[in-house]
Amino acid sequence: MKNNITESSKCNAEDCPTVDGLRMTRQRSEVYSVLMSYRDHPTAGEVFERAKENMPTISLATVYNCLEALVQHGAVRQVNFERESSRYCPNLTEHGHFHDEESGKIIDVPLKKGAKLSDLLDLPEGAEIDNLEITLRGKISNN
Amino acid sequence: MKNNITESSKCNAEDCPTVDGLRMTRQRSEVYSVLMSYRDHPTAGEVFERAKENMPTISLATVYNCLEALVQHGAVRQVNFERESSRYCPNLTEHGHFHDEESGKIIDVPLKKGAKLSDLLDLPEGAEIDNLEITLRGKISNN
DNA sequence: CTAGGTGCAAAAGGTTTGCGGTTAA
DNA sequence: TTAACCGCAAACCTTTTGCACCTAG
């Protein structure tokens, strides 16, 4: 997965990046900007609510479409927790997610530098990994 | 997560285990038996289809309810792949899942003995993990 | 100019729920 | 005996789709 965002912005929306190969529209910029400014892990519905503040006419279907386009082009990530709604994450580095059962918060969990997945798992012979999702659920004991 | 299945069966269905604290019914036995005999990773709908062969009157809602009860009592696991339907897995050992994009098959990926999650991830301070889900998607290059 | 995106509303698909009748312990 | 479960159908919720209009490049 590669970050396709460049700074060669020609887009008229403020703070609007160009994503290679993705036609940028006002709605896509708004959705992307929502994700970048809050930097938590909102659901599509939450992105919709936030986007409406700046762009009252945007529709939920468009938010879904924009999110999908951004995910396909590697600008953001989609994160799935069990059966909950998908959440979207602007952190493009390799990481997992810890879901705190008490606060409900989702915390990015970085992969240790130099650590290899094959040290933890007995991967099948010849496996080529396109996508890795590590999700943890639990509590934080702050004693 | 602990395996609550005992062999002290009092249930009238053949090959019917007792799960501590879970009232065993014909439907729950059938659902459990479907999972144990195929040992792949069926969706609720697939479990329903298979269960109907032995028990034509069972309903899909009951299959969902039985699966939920079995999951809650630690008799089987629920596995979520991206936005697909949940799948159910009778393998109770700690493991991840590899989703082969070519065959569509789901392969259990054992955790290496002695390997620790904290060797791979920078876990948050004081994190107590109740649930870990590792899902991989990719291809198997058989050269 | 036009391929592709948008907004809307409706459909789809998986899962859950409410209710009257049934059953395991 | 009775709390809990079953079957059914309807509800629910997230996500996708079809279509007429619009817009970025």
Side-chain angles (χ1 to χ4, degrees), chain A residues 26-131:
Chain A
R26 274 178 294 125
Q27 289 81 355
R28 287 175 180 175
S29 294
E30 177 59 29
V31 165
Y32 183 70
S33 147
V34 161
L35 287 169
M36 290 310 278
S37 54
Y38 291 78
R39 297 206 135 263
D40 51 358
H41 299 79
T43 62
E46 287 162 354
V47 173
F48 177 50
E49 291 307 322
R50 293 174 188 180
K52 274 200 292 192
E53 290 168 19
N54 279 329
M55 187 179 277
T57 61
I58 197 170
S59 73
L60 178 56
T62 295
V63 169
Y64 272 104
N65 291 336
C66 292
L67 287 169
E68 155 135 36
L70 291 166
V71 168
Q72 298 302 23
H73 286 77
V76 304
R77 286 187 171 185
Q78 186 170 5
V79 184
N80 299 299
F81 281 97
E82 293 161 23
R83 290 282 86 203
E84 297 177 7
S85 301
S86 282
R87 295 177 174 278
Y88 296 86
C89 171
N91 178 350
L92 297 175
T93 64
E94 280 271 41
H95 67 285
H97 292 99
F98 179 85
H99 192 184
D100 183 350
E101 290 169 327
E102 269 152 17
S103 69
K105 285 213 184 80
I106 288 154
I107 300 162
D108 285 357
V109 179
L111 264 69
K112 282 198 169 163
K113 303 182 243 313
K116 290 199 309 292
L117 198 58
S118 55
D119 293 337
L120 183 69
L121 298 174
D122 274 320
L123 295 169
E125 190 84 26
E128 269 175 58
I129 314 261
D130 292 335
N131 183 274

Side-chain angles (χ1 to χ4, degrees), chain B residues 15-29:
Chain B
D15 191 29
C16 165
T18 297
V19 177
D20 288 348
L22 179 62
R23 174 167 154 180
M24 196 44 70
T25 63
R26 275 179 292 126
Q27 290 81 356
R28 287 176 179 173
S29 293

